[in-house]
Amino acid sequence: MKKILITSALHREPLAELFEKFEVFMPRDRDMKRGQVLEMIPDYEVLIPNFSFYTDKEIMDRGVKLEMISNYGVGYNNIDVEYATQKGITVTNIPKTTCEPTAELAFALLLATGRRIGYYDRKLREHRAIDWSVYGDAGLPVFGKTLGIIGMGRIGQALARRAVASGMSIIYHNRNRLSKDIEERYGAKYVAFDELLRTADYVSLNAPSTPETVKIIGKNELSMMKPTAVFINTARGNMVDEKALAKALKEGKIWAAGLDVYENEPKISPELLVLDNVVLAPHAGTRTIEDRHRMAEEMVHNIVGFYEGKYEVSIVNK
């Protein structure tokens, strides 16, 4: 019987098939520390890290029996995929069940940031001065505005669907242009990266984290955006120069930002914490119980599918 090591304390219900067919170790009430994983990994064929547990060469070298790393997340920048490939270890992710909830949170951040919901709530609760006059402390509209999506994959398209329903126009930039059918579905226009930054009212980062996309948004890119632009990031924190973003927000180079991911999470730059024009979330794109259960089920399907061929398997290093 294959042995599976889960680094996070997950709910057991969606993992039922895993426990039936494999020998599984899972911590009871808290995530495992790196040292514990290094100590135990030599006996296991499958490792299940969550999206914040970095799986590097040391862990893979210690995992002499490792056949599979089944990531509990859609992004896999927490895994040294290149080294896993060299070692003959299959790496999988869960792109289907993470799509809609992440797009949902991205659009929630877009609305909350543009319409200043977090700012209003904070001011009123703390009994700080807020301008109740006709034009005082005004936000930005969403209807009739242009959303620029960087990375028009599953999540980008799910976000576009929500934006179109709210009366927004869509422009996008991708490594590859989408088919005409998909563009027509959202009324989306493919544009160069610089053009997107210069013309979008709202800019949403939805591309995967790769060596090419690290710090894709920095001082130069932020300077191209409109002073009324809103920046949304639900992708990965390492794709943005956080200090440059904080400086642009503080100096009014862009109007606001809604962030769910950070360069050094769970640590957040102190500069961001004191700004009134930022809405912050704790990497909560899929953080509902129902969605986390769906993610676990998709992850289980990857493992069972890998060994039994029963389900489709989402392999990232074919």
Side-chain angles (χ1 to χ4, degrees):
M1 184 179 284
K2 301 290 184 180
K3 296 180 70 173
I4 297 174
L5 179 61
I6 305 176
T7 67
S8 299
L10 306 176
H11 288 184
R12 287 180 66 99
E13 310 130 72
L15 302 174
E17 190 172 6
L18 214 60
F19 280 92
E20 288 171 10
K21 297 183 174 181
F22 305 95
E23 184 179 332
V24 181
F25 176 86
M26 180 175 69
R28 289 187 179 182
D29 56 1
R30 63 182 61 189
D31 292 352
M32 294 180 70
K33 300 293 185 182
R34 178 180 174 83
Q36 294 174 284
V37 174
L38 283 168
E39 184 180 344
M40 296 180 67
I41 197 63
D43 294 328
Y44 290 82
E45 283 84 13
V46 180
L47 175 67
I48 299 176
N50 69 29
F51 43 77
S52 62
F53 184 91
Y54 190 64
T55 307
D56 59 8
K57 293 180 180 181
E58 185 181 16
I59 288 174
M60 287 183 243
D61 285 341
R62 290 273 295 166
V64 291
K65 294 183 179 179
L66 266 183
E67 299 170 346
M68 182 182 195
I69 300 171
S70 184
N71 202 39
Y72 184 61
V74 60
Y76 42 88
N77 60 307
N78 59 308
I79 299 169
D80 188 336
V81 176
E82 184 178 346
Y83 193 66
T85 304
Q86 291 176 25
K87 298 273 289 184
I89 301 169
T90 297
V91 179
T92 62
N93 71 337
I94 45 176
K96 296 177 183 176
T97 51
T98 51
C99 173
E100 293 297 334
T102 304
E104 190 171 82
L105 187 78
F107 196 61
L109 285 171
L110 185 153
L111 288 169
T113 308
R115 294 306 308 269
R116 306 194 81 179
I117 294 170
Y119 171 80
Y120 294 149
D121 181 74
R122 191 162 55 251
K123 288 274 190 176
L124 291 170
R125 288 177 185 274
E126 295 176 0
H127 305 289
R128 288 192 284 161
I130 194 164
D131 190 343
W132 288 73
S133 67
V134 175
Y135 302 110
D137 285 334
L140 297 174
V142 169
F143 181 83
K145 295 297 182 180
T146 297
L147 170 61
I149 299 175
I150 302 169
M152 191 76 160
R154 290 174 185 263
I155 295 171
Q157 290 178 42
L159 173 60
R161 189 176 73 247
R162 289 164 169 80
V164 168
S166 294
M168 301 187 82
S169 299
I170 306 296
I171 59 176
Y172 77 96
H173 181 77
N174 229 27
R175 273 183 303 184
N176 301 302
R177 185 170 179 172
L178 299 174
S179 68
K180 186 177 179 181
D181 288 347
I182 295 176
E183 288 186 343
E184 289 178 350
R185 187 181 307 162
Y186 307 108
K189 180 184 177 184
Y190 179 78
V191 296
F193 185 60
D194 290 3
E195 184 181 347
L196 183 148
L197 296 175
R198 290 191 179 99
T199 59
D201 299 298
Y202 292 81
V203 175
S204 181
L205 186 53
N206 300 102
S209 175
T210 66
E212 295 74 33
T213 60
V214 170
K215 299 285 176 74
I216 193 174
I217 300 294
K219 179 181 178 181
N220 183 53
E221 290 74 26
L222 291 162
S223 69
M224 295 182 194
M225 296 183 195
K226 298 178 180 180
T228 54
V230 173
F231 175 67
I232 306 297
N233 187 13
T234 54
R236 283 293 184 267
N238 67 352
M239 299 166 72
V240 178
D241 183 333
E242 209 162 90
K243 288 189 175 179
L245 175 61
K247 191 170 188 291
L249 288 162
K250 185 178 181 180
E251 295 177 356
K253 299 291 177 62
I254 65 171
W255 196 75
L259 307 174
D260 186 44
V261 289
Y262 310 91
E263 258 190 287
N264 301 298
E265 59 186 62
K267 295 180 181 178
I268 301 174
S269 297
E271 299 95 328
L272 292 174
L273 293 172
V274 298
L275 293 172
D276 272 334
N277 56 345
V278 185
V279 177
L280 305 172
H283 204 143
T286 58
R287 198 177 294 191
T288 74
I289 300 299
E290 290 180 24
D291 288 311
R292 291 284 161 94
H293 281 193
R294 292 188 188 102
M295 289 167 61
E297 288 168 355
E298 185 178 0
M299 181 191 67
V300 168
H301 287 180
N302 276 334
I303 297 169
V304 175
F306 179 75
Y307 285 111
E308 298 183 0
K310 184 177 177 182
Y311 306 108
E312 181 183 352
V313 182
S314 177
I315 300 174
V316 302
N317 62 339
K318 292 180 180 179

